Amino acid sequence: MMLGLSPNMANGTNRIPVILQNITSVYIFYKKGILDLSKGLRLAVPTTLGAIGGAIIAVDVNESLFRMIIGVGVFMMLFFMIYKPEKWLKGNDALREKPISIWMYILFFGFGIYGGFVHLAVGYLFLAALVLGLGFDLLQANAIKGLLVLLYAPASLVVFILNGQVNFTYGLLHSIGNIIGAYIASILAVHWGS
């Protein structure tokens, strides 16, 4: 937006670097054996369906409402970053071994709607549900979060492309930093653990 794109165009354009950064990080997590592909793929179905709906809503949203939603998203990020950070570090084996409940599928569908709509801070919602609700440790949860985003972002990108709300030049330039950042962060996360 600071480069002159409208909020809706910036929202659609941002999907390009998001996809490319998650290809990078998911590959690293998968290669290192951290990604629970089975549960991740099951959660990806409702998340992706929700994201398509969220993107359809986003392409027609009022610009002032969209700016307000961005403000709320930033506040949510701050809350999740400072609220009891020690709860995020350890997994819960008993909880992780349970099958995914219908309520979790519904929750991830809702997260998909939000992610398809704006994407801002959706990672924190995924991490909260994966750690606190499904028992993954932060590193495992981060790997699944990357997979979920990698699978839903292309679906939402198509909606934005069909509505003329993607600037490919900005998106691809932005991707360079995202790919480098994802590579470095994923390697460090694997090395340091939760």
Side-chain angles (χ1 to χ4, degrees), residues 102-138:
I102 187 69
W103 299 111
M104 279 292 155
Y105 286 115
I106 293 168
L107 183 64
F108 277 80
F109 177 77
F111 291 166
I113 291 172
Y114 177 78
F117 183 82
V118 72
H119 185 75
L120 178 69
V122 74
Y124 292 104
L125 299 175
F126 286 143
L127 289 175
L130 290 164
V131 171
L132 305 175
L134 293 172
F136 290 97
D137 69 31
L138 186 58

Side-chain angles (χ1 to χ4, degrees), residues 45-102:
V45 173
T47 303
T48 302
L49 292 173
I52 293 168
I56 290 169
I57 295 167
V59 295
D60 291 322
V61 75
N62 175 296
E63 188 172 315
S64 61
L65 175 63
F66 190 76
R67 287 181 188 272
M68 184 181 74
I69 291 167
I70 289 173
V72 170
V74 169
F75 178 75
M76 283 175 28
M77 281 192 322
L78 290 172
F79 174 77
F80 283 115
M81 288 170 54
I82 62 175
Y83 178 73
K84 295 186 180 181
E86 67 279 357
K87 289 185 124 187
W88 299 84
L89 299 180
K90 295 185 180 173
N92 180 329
D93 291 336
L95 193 56
R96 192 174 57 248
E97 297 302 319
K98 289 183 178 181
I100 301 169
S101 74
I102 187 69

